[in-house]
Amino acid sequence: MAKQPMLKFVTVERDMPEKRGAEDRRQDFHEIYAEFADAKAKEQAGRCSQCGVPYCQSHCPLHNNIPDWLRLTAEGRLKEAYEISQLTNTFPEICGRICPQDRLCEGNCVIEQSGHGTVTIGAVEKYITDTAWEEGWVETIKPSVERVESVGIIGAGPGGLAAADVLRRAGVQVTVYDRYDRGGGLLTYGIPGFKLEKDVVMRRVEQLEQGGVKFVLNCDVGTDISFDEIRKKHNALLIATGVYKSRDLGGPGAGAKGIVRAIDYLTASNRVCFGDQVPEYESGELNAAGKRIVVVGGGDTAMDCVRTAIRQGAKSVTCLYRRDRENMPGSQREVANAEEEGVKFEWLSAPVGFVGDPVTAVKVQKMRLGAPDATGRQSPEPIEGAVEDAPADLVIKALGFEPEDLPSLWNQKELEVTRWGTIKAEFTTGQTAMEGVFAVGDIVRGASLVVWAIRDGRDSAAAILNYLNGATAVAAE
Ligand SMILES: Cc1cc2nc3c(=O)[nH]c(=O)nc-3n(C[C@H](O)[C@H](O)[C@H](O)COP(=O)(O)OP(=O)(O)OC[C@H]3O[C@@H](n4cnc5c(N)ncnc54)[C@H](O)[C@@H]3O)c2cc1C
Ligand code: SF4
């Protein structure tokens, strides 16, 4: 009888792919985890307990068939594992790299709850699809029929690209418009290479292009082409524009030179990694080399900024966050990585003003956690008289993002938005208040996650296909 390959969690310890040493990773923008070796991937996949009701699957936004592809990996049937994995996820190797697994699939792994350490689901998912690319199993998109209808997608981030993939496979003519010069959205210009190397994103954009998706880049909808014009060109439209309005800092001196937005800083750094000429980087305006850096914020964007500054050769990097470590929104894994790389965290610290122009220091108000608010979260409150100067040559504001005012920018009063400015869209379809116009990703949810954008894109593409089929049926009557 064949040996049982699964349920090894009692005898085999949890093991992640090797992590590069902190000193080594400070020197470049390459990813910090190596790939599993084949035997290691099999061994780690074999730790899965094959639950009848897999909580990992129900807590994955894509409901990936995790136990099935873990079993196939443990049995050495990698091609089948890949086929199952790509049925539910458009970009499994991207999610395997950057999903906050501790809050999603791995955080709900039953063997973790029994004290054995979670199955390394993300690392195996990445391994399966990276292998599929290497082995040539990832095929060009070839629709079996070509349809006449066309769909315009505004935004080439993960939400827009996931929808483009589903629609194109169904034979629809798809055009993706983006104001950037490359596709990928925040996968390309937000998230740094040490979390997600850029060739991983670019090969997906190329796969879509080779499959017949048209990209119209350097095209800002609302400036280079109007929303009405695009709407006239296509049978349906999908808005997947993300959220880009940065929350700002107030206080005396907040307008000084040397205080910059996280998105500008990260975009410049990602462009430099592509080999682009970036004048703001070369002039030092968006370059941390040799400087004392203060990053304000406690989310994943702040973590990406501090770790980018380390790699650019900053003299010192400090992160200010107004709550404590336990209450920060960013992933604990990323904080630990940042600390290993030399970032100093100042918890319970909020900026209240700035010294100098160009800036030379941040006035830091020390805080304490007060009574819980309506959500049960303790609110930070200032400690009277506890203000000190933190020296800084470059201050990076990473306080989160809000939607731009699309109805005004695009002159579309019919496009309904919530009181937060996100587009009002039906939960499972993305249908907006406008006929034939759908919306997905961060512009609907507010700043969220890549895996949710992919889920929305796939769901909405299915709804758009229904919409197109309905319109075709009516036309034929
Ligand atoms: C620094 C940073 C780090 C992050 N790290 C992670 C992480 O580790 N894991 C994770 O899961 N999530 C992470 N996120 C969140 C994640 O990137 C987003 O939730 C996700 O990219 C949203 O996808 P989207 O398709 O809705 O929008 P986006 O990725 O923002 O793409 C929107 C696209 O629309 C284009 N666009 C906008 N307006 C127009 C217009 N008027 N005309 C034409 N094009 C337009 C933009 O240029 C962009 O390419 C991070 C976010 C940031 C900012
Ligand atoms: S997509 Fe994300 S949440 Fe789902 S299995 Fe993969 S890593 Fe886990």
Side-chain angles (χ1 to χ4, degrees):
M1 211 170 79
K3 254 172 84 187
Q4 155 69 275
M6 305 306 287
L7 303 158
K8 297 276 169 56
F9 61 92
V10 184
T11 49
V12 177
E13 276 189 23
R14 175 181 195 272
D15 204 1
M16 276 292 282
E18 204 178 320
K19 184 156 91 167
R20 295 166 62 204
E23 193 41 48
D24 179 29
R25 40 190 226 248
R26 282 165 61 102
Q27 313 302 324
D28 61 47
F29 283 82
H30 294 304
E31 285 178 12
I32 70 167
Y33 292 101
E35 190 78 90
F36 267 142
D38 188 49
K40 198 64 167 176
K42 268 190 188 167
E43 172 203 272
Q44 288 295 308
R47 294 182 68 247
C48 171
S49 70
Q50 299 285 285
C51 304
V53 180
Y55 292 130
C56 55
Q57 179 168 8
S58 35
H59 285 85
C60 163
L62 293 160
H63 299 312
N64 281 342
N65 293 325
I66 301 164
D68 286 0
W69 45 253
L70 286 175
R71 187 185 181 96
L72 290 164
T73 305
E75 291 173 351
R77 294 157 65 189
L78 262 194
K79 188 160 189 227
E80 289 161 85
Y82 162 68
E83 274 155 13
I84 302 272
S85 158
Q86 57 89 47
L87 279 180
T88 50
N89 191 351
T90 319
F91 309 126
E93 73 282 24
I94 294 180
C95 293
R97 284 170 164 85
I98 59 165
C99 269
Q101 286 101 6
D102 50 345
R103 286 191 263 144
L104 302 170
C105 52
E106 294 181 14
N108 291 279
C109 172
V110 165
I111 65 170
E112 158 96 333
Q113 282 152 21
S114 67
H116 289 97
T118 165
V119 178
T120 50
I121 298 170
V124 176
E125 188 178 27
K126 161 180 183 279
Y127 169 75
I128 294 170
T129 308
D130 282 349
T131 308
W133 277 101
E134 270 164 37
E135 297 291 330
W137 302 334
V138 182
E139 288 170 7
T140 309
I141 301 166
K142 284 195 203 100
S144 50
V145 283
E146 286 293 343
R147 297 180 59 144
V148 289
E149 301 98 330
S150 80
V151 173
I153 297 179
I154 311 175
L161 296 186
D165 180 88
V166 173
L167 290 166
R168 187 62 202 125
R169 283 177 198 277
V172 173
Q173 310 308 314
V174 180
T175 307
V176 181
Y177 302 84
D178 202 290
R179 62 184 168 199
Y180 284 142
D181 56 345
R182 294 183 176 95
L186 289 173
L187 301 176
T188 299
Y189 285 133
I191 300 172
F194 50 82
K195 276 166 61 183
L196 174 63
E197 278 177 13
K198 299 305 149 188
D199 53 349
V200 174
V201 183
M202 288 305 123
R203 71 184 173 192
R204 283 295 184 182
V205 175
E206 278 158 28
Q207 184 201 18
L208 288 164
E209 252 172 339
Q210 283 163 7
V213 173
K214 273 195 224 119
F215 283 86
V216 181
L217 300 173
N218 296 309
C219 175
D220 190 328
V221 175
T223 307
D224 299 312
I225 184 168
S226 74
F227 182 86
D228 286 328
E229 255 174 279
I230 291 200
R231 201 171 175 205
K232 270 191 226 131
K233 279 180 192 248
H234 301 285
N235 301 85
L237 268 195
L238 179 69
I239 305 171
T241 48
V243 287
Y244 284 87
K245 198 166 102 194
S246 301
R247 293 204 186 104
D248 218 346
L249 278 175
K257 239 178 133 216
I259 305 176
V260 302
R261 302 185 315 163
I263 193 70
D264 298 334
Y265 175 69
L266 291 173
T267 305
S269 174
N270 277 313
R271 282 192 179 285
V272 171
C273 292
F274 272 109
D276 295 354
Q277 291 280 311
V278 182
E280 299 82 1
Y281 177 84
E282 268 135 43
S283 71
E285 196 185 319
L286 296 175
N287 183 350
K291 294 182 182 159
R292 297 163 303 175
I293 307 300
V294 171
V295 175
V296 184
D300 285 333
T301 304
M303 296 311 107
D304 289 350
C305 289
V306 290
R307 298 178 66 202
T308 295
I310 289 278
R311 283 158 176 80
Q312 288 180 344
K315 200 165 167 191
S316 66
V317 183
T318 307
C319 182
L320 303 181
Y321 180 55
R322 65 200 178 116
R323 290 189 161 93
D324 60 3
R325 186 185 193 119
E326 288 67 43
N327 284 289
M328 70 177 293
S331 136
Q332 291 298 330
R333 179 178 67 183
E334 297 304 303
V335 178
N337 284 334
E339 278 179 329
E340 286 168 17
E341 289 164 11
V343 175
K344 188 171 153 219
F345 285 85
E346 293 283 354
W347 307 110
L348 294 163
S349 302
V352 286
F354 301 89
V355 182
D357 188 2
V359 71
T360 55
V362 181
K363 293 220 156 287
V364 180
Q365 166 73 63
K366 299 308 279 183
M367 314 291 281
R368 66 173 154 239
L369 289 181
D373 62 17
T375 63
R377 206 163 169 225
Q378 282 181 286
S379 307
E381 52 189 41
I383 301 172
E384 207 179 314
V387 177
E388 52 197 48
D389 283 359
D393 309 305
L394 182 65
V395 178
I396 304 171
K397 302 178 278 187
L399 297 140
F401 300 96
E402 287 166 4
E404 290 158 305
D405 181 0
L406 292 185
S408 302
L409 283 174
W410 290 349
N411 198 17
Q412 299 297 320
K413 299 290 171 263
E414 267 183 78
L415 187 64
E416 286 181 19
V417 292
T418 65
R419 64 191 163 106
W420 300 280
T422 48
I423 294 181
K424 268 193 194 170
E426 237 175 57
F427 187 51
T428 50
T429 62
Q431 172 71 60
T432 69
M434 295 172 83
E435 159 86 27
V437 178
F438 298 75
V440 294
D442 282 5
I443 191 60
V444 175
R445 293 178 178 271
S448 177
L449 293 174
V450 168
V451 66
W452 280 115
I454 297 173
R455 164 73 191 270
D456 288 355
R458 292 171 66 93
D459 283 355
S460 190
I464 293 173
L465 286 173
N466 276 340
Y467 171 78
L468 296 177
N469 291 342
T472 312
V474 170
E477 272 169 18

